[in-house]
Amino acid sequence: MIVPIKQIITKAKAGKYAVGAFNTSNLEITMAIVRAAVQEKSPVIIQTSESAIKYSNLKTIFGVITNLANTVGKSVPIAIHLDHGKNWPIVKDCINVGYNSVHMDASEKDYATNVRMSKQAAVAAHKKGIWCQAELGSILGKEGMVKLETGEINMKDLMTDPQQAIDFVAKTKVDTLAISVGTIHGHFKGIEKVDQRRLKKIVASVKVPLVLHGGSGLQTKVFKQAIKNGVSVINIDTNLRLAFKKALIKHVDTNRDTSMVDPRKILAPSTEAMQAEVVKTIRIFGSKNKA
Ligand code: G3H
Ligand code: 13P
Ligand code: ZN
């Protein structure tokens, strides 16, 4: 059932476990996340990126998530969140359509602009009684990886400064903070790490719940240590994409010469594989039976 995100995250922070924030852009991914949450009796956050919204249409994907959450998922707490809203019009539209939380990501801008844009989003979100996430420091993606490899940028320079975090949260009044502590968007097993010392300093500096982005590719022990150190939300996208693709290739390969043409049947193993991935993640994060 859709509930205010405050209810989900406050309980996770107090209970010292993390809630998974899983990205979706269609019916199958959403079904997989909701079914896994019900199976594990776990709260979940379901999030859409700007590009997912462009792909699926805001009202459509919002309807898919809310309808599934309030029917199939009625026994577990579920919140809808905008992930990496870099453009104010999309952030505003998500607030108005009924999201439970929005991420105003102005982390690529200069500090003063990041403060101004994050504060503006927080004010608008709070008027509707919802939460706002902002980001301090940069979390790299594929393009950033190239710059990292060529030495054009240094990971340490991109990480969240604990002292600056105090000023940032005080000025913006955001409810959750996305931090940069060494993770990367995508699957870079072995390369991405969590700077646990920095994480502990940030936890000691600010009271707001912290969000770890770029979760895919991290080892179980790294997740567990980060949660022990105080992370309350962890974003996962690529792991579900990989599960989807692997199952699809196998299923299509084995059925290439059969009469199977029904897209629902073609996609069923992929949906099941994503559900299994979410179940595995929920168990690692410790949110099983926390509904
Ligand atoms: O952090 C970004 C998310 O993985 C969403 O990516 O823009 O391809 O939907 P996307
Ligand atoms: P991954 O794709 O690395 O799991 O990152 C997801 C994310 O941070 C979404 O905001
Ligand atoms: Zn992210």
Side-chain angles (χ1 to χ4, degrees), residues 23-25 47-53 83-84 139 185-186 213-214 235-238 241:
N23 288 73
T24 190
S25 53
Q47 57 188 11
T48 58
S49 65
E50 284 190 347
S51 64
I53 288 170
D83 184 34
H84 294 287
I139 301 143
H185 287 120
H213 281 247
N235 285 10
I236 299 284
D237 188 356
T238 308
R241 294 178 177 192

Side-chain angles (χ1 to χ4, degrees), residues 18 20 22 33 36-37 40 42-44 277-289:
F22 301 96
I33 302 166
E40 294 301 292
S42 167
V44 280
E277 188 61 39
V278 176
V279 164
K280 191 176 101 189
T281 308
I282 283 171
R283 291 181 188 172
I284 295 170
F285 291 179
S287 69
K288 183 181 170 77
N289 291 326

